[in-house]
């Protein structure tokens, strides 16, 4: 229904407008390209719309300002890394105080005990460990699962994403496990390490676990990194039943689905995992993650954790659990990501969904928008049920156009897909501004 020639013309015009708006970012990008590979400190920073990245100067609450002095409504929030809002004052104060009195000694601080107690209260799992990132936490949990079960493989959902964990960068292709498109230099054939099943497909899960070689199922309760794919009614309860039947540990990754509430989807939907991983926003922007486990799993791991060679067990990191990180988590969980914060943010996501849905309906487009807690996203297709359906529906030309159109009008969306995230610092006016910008883009394309 979209004229692709017209789309290309509008995209070219927006590229020119972007370059005119950001001369300072263009200059910094040129400078960075001399010694930073691809001109950025992290590869995915090349994924932003525009011919070069926008360099930011400062961020606070739900807004940021770039080096050209332009202010934006931030609906990306660091792809959940800043889900609390930017520069949360209590976190800033805690980090400043902790840095002034020592950051890392390889010894625990009092904040670590508080953090573990609070995570146990929120998620219902009694024992916790810290990591530097959710990627690390997932990697460690997979090691623990293989150790506890004596089984060599893990299972994941088709088109999932759990960070840069080798075993999880796998998809199904014609029924066979293959490396995920774009995965660079896999260390081993993922077919040897991983079984992959489609989300919302219980028969496929049953068949995969029946082989008896799977240590754990690592999954998000709703897919997010390929776009929001919600579970069918009764699906997650059946997953728990099937994993127990086959002696497979269930690991829930709440790194993104924490958007569902203070205890993520696990608390909001009454889930019962054996292990749970959470990262990104819990440190208010400071790199830190955590993983929790049931009392049974904790008891079985207690012996190995006290072993003489635990420091070379493949689980750890010299800076992991440092005093700066635990101080940041304590300050964050004390002042953000609470029930009262989600009570503000979730209605904003719902308002976003309603606004986008009204535009889609007005133009009679076969598109869809939905929300998950304080997260919302629109699709250029009907709602998918699996990761493969979501991946097949990706329209990079349309996504790039909408992202750039919004960016040029002061609204930042998440670069990987059409996702918006909300924090208590956002306002209804911020939501309505996006609706206006989205409506203008749709009107331009369909005129």
């Amino acid at each position: 229904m979209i004229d692709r020639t017209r789309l290309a013309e509008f995209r070219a015009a927006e590229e020119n407008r972007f370059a005119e708006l950001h001369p300072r970012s263009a200059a910094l990008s040129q400078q960075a390209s001399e010694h930073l590979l691809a001109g950025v400190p992290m590869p995915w920073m090349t994924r932003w719309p525009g011919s070069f990245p926008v360099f930011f100067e400062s961020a606070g609450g739900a807004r940021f300002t770039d080096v050209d002095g332009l202010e934006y409504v931030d609906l990306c929030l660091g792809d959940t890394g800043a889900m609390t809002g930017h520069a949360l004052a209590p976190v800033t104060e805690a980090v400043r105080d902790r840095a002034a009195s020592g950051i890392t000694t390889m010894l625990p601080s009092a904040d670590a005990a508080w953090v573990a107690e609070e995570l146990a209260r929120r998620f219902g799992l009694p024992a916790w460990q810290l990591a530097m990132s959710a990627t690390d936490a997932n990697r460690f949990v997979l090691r623990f699962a293989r150790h506890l079960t004596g089984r060599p493989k893990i299972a994941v959902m088709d088109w999932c994403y759990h960070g840069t964990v080798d075993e999880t960068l796998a998809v199904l292709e014609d029924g066979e496990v293959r490396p995920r498109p774009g995965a660079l230099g896999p260390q081993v054939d993922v077919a040897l390490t991983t079984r992959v099943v489609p989300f919302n497909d219980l028969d496929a899960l049953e068949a995969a676990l029946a082989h008896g070689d799977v240590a754990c199922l690592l999954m998000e309760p709703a897919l997010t990194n390929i776009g929001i794919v919600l579970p069918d009614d009764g699906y997650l309860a059946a997953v728990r039943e099937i994993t127990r039947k086959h002696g497979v540990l269930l690991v829930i990754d709440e790194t993104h689905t924490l958007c569902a509430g203070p205890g993520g989807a696990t608390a909001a939907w009454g889930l019962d995992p054996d292990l749970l991983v959470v990262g990104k926003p819990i440190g208010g922007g400071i790199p830190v993650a955590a993983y929790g486990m049931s009392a049974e799993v904790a008891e079985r791991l207690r012996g190995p954790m006290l072993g003489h060679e635990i420091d070379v067990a493949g689980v750890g990191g010299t800076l992991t659990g440092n005093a700066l990180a635990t101080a940041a988590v304590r300050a964050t969980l004390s002042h953000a990501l609470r029930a009262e914060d989600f009570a503000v943010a979730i209605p904003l996501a719902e308002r976003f969904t309603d606004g986008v849905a009204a535009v889609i309906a007005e133009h009679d487009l076969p598109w869809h928008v939905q929300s998950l807690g304080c997260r919302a996203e629109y699709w250029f297709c009907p709602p998918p049920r699996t990761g493969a359906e979501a991946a097949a529906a990706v329209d990079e030309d349309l996504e790039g156009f909408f992202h750039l159109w919004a960016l040029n009008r002061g609204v930042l969306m998440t670069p990987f897909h059409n996702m918006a995230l909300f924090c208590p610092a956002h306002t209804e006016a911020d939501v309505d501004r996006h609706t206006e910008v989205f409506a203008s883009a749709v009107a331009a394309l369909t005129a």
Side-chain angles (χ1 to χ4, degrees):
M1 298 182 67
I2 299 298
D3 183 329
R4 294 289 158 162
T5 300
R6 187 178 182 84
L7 173 62
E9 292 171 351
F10 273 112
R11 176 65 184 266
E14 291 303 312
E15 291 281 5
N16 290 334
R17 179 173 180 171
F18 173 83
E20 292 171 358
L21 287 170
H22 302 97
R24 179 63 178 147
S25 281
L28 284 173
S29 180
Q30 182 64 35
Q31 177 187 344
S33 295
E34 294 181 13
H35 296 290
L36 284 172
L37 181 63
V40 289
M42 275 287 290
W44 51 254
M45 290 182 179
T46 63
R47 290 284 306 276
W48 291 102
S51 53
F52 51 84
V54 170
F55 284 67
F56 96 96
E57 182 71 32
S58 62
R63 294 177 178 267
F64 76 94
T65 302
D66 70 16
V67 294
D68 287 289
L70 303 176
E71 185 180 74
Y72 302 82
V73 175
D74 188 357
L75 299 184
C76 174
L77 295 180
D79 196 22
T80 72
M83 199 170 80
T84 60
H86 298 290
L88 195 66
V91 176
T92 301
E93 181 179 353
V95 168
R96 182 191 304 117
D97 291 347
R98 185 66 259 179
S101 56
I103 292 175
T104 184
T105 59
M106 289 189 72
L107 297 170
S109 67
D111 289 334
W114 186 97
V115 166
E117 290 173 5
E118 176 63 9
L119 291 171
R121 184 189 69 82
R122 289 186 177 220
F123 292 98
L125 292 166
W128 289 82
Q129 286 278 281
L130 296 183
M132 286 292 288
S133 69
T135 289
D136 275 351
N138 280 320
R139 189 179 291 118
F140 300 160
V141 164
L142 298 188
R143 281 185 171 272
F144 285 138
R146 287 191 293 260
H147 170 78
L148 291 174
T149 63
R151 298 176 177 179
K153 290 193 174 186
I154 68 155
V156 296
M157 294 295 158
D158 194 21
W159 289 94
C160 69
Y161 187 74
H162 297 283
T164 56
V165 181
D166 288 310
E167 301 100 311
T168 67
L169 296 174
V171 297
L172 284 177
E173 186 177 307
D174 298 325
E176 300 293 329
V177 176
R178 298 280 187 266
R180 180 171 177 150
L184 297 176
Q187 63 173 349
V188 296
D189 182 354
V190 286
L192 300 176
T193 65
T194 310
R195 294 196 181 278
V196 179
V197 297
F199 194 72
N200 279 324
D201 190 333
L202 293 172
D203 290 339
L205 179 63
E206 178 78 47
L209 301 192
H211 290 277
D213 56 2
V214 172
C216 69
L217 170 65
L218 172 61
M219 67 178 294
E220 292 183 293
L223 296 184
T224 62
N225 271 286
I226 194 64
I228 299 172
V229 180
L230 297 174
D232 292 342
D233 289 344
Y235 172 68
L236 295 175
V239 167
R240 178 68 281 193
E241 181 180 345
I242 292 170
T243 52
R244 282 206 174 103
K245 172 184 174 183
H246 293 285
V248 173
L249 295 171
L250 175 61
V251 184
I252 295 293
D253 186 345
E254 291 273 16
T255 300
H256 278 178
T257 53
L258 183 59
C259 64
T266 294
W269 299 346
L271 308 182
D272 184 25
D274 298 298
L275 299 111
L276 181 147
V277 170
V278 65
K280 289 192 179 180
I282 65 170
I286 296 295
V288 63
Y291 54 101
M293 60 201 76
S294 67
E296 179 185 357
V297 170
E299 182 59 31
R300 293 171 65 192
L301 285 175
R302 201 173 305 279
M305 289 288 286
L306 298 175
H308 179 68
E309 295 181 331
I310 190 62
D311 58 318
V312 292
V315 176
T318 303
L319 298 179
T320 297
N322 67 74
L324 185 72
T326 52
V329 177
R330 181 170 185 170
T332 301
L333 298 184
S334 295
H335 299 92
L337 304 176
R338 305 162 299 178
E340 55 264 44
D341 300 306
F342 285 99
V344 175
I346 289 176
L348 293 174
E350 293 169 348
R351 185 182 183 93
F352 176 98
T353 301
D354 291 343
V356 170
V359 174
I360 291 172
E362 178 185 351
H363 293 271
D364 194 26
L365 293 166
W367 299 353
H368 177 72
V369 60
Q370 61 192 13
S371 61
L372 172 62
C374 60
R375 184 185 187 101
E377 188 159 20
Y378 55 87
W379 298 84
F380 305 121
C381 67
R385 291 185 60 252
T386 69
E389 289 179 8
V394 170
D395 189 324
E396 293 186 0
D397 292 336
L398 264 180
E399 287 184 6
F401 165 74
F402 274 98
H403 290 181
L404 194 55
W405 183 282
L407 183 67
N408 284 344
R409 289 154 183 80
V411 179
L412 183 74
M413 298 283 287
T414 303
F416 311 123
H417 32 85
N418 310 303
M419 193 274 285
L421 191 67
F422 296 91
C423 71
H426 282 111
T427 66
E428 291 185 349
D430 293 333
V431 177
D432 295 344
R433 175 58 182 157
H434 170 270
T435 303
E436 293 168 4
V437 168
F438 179 77
S440 68
V442 173
L445 286 179
T446 58

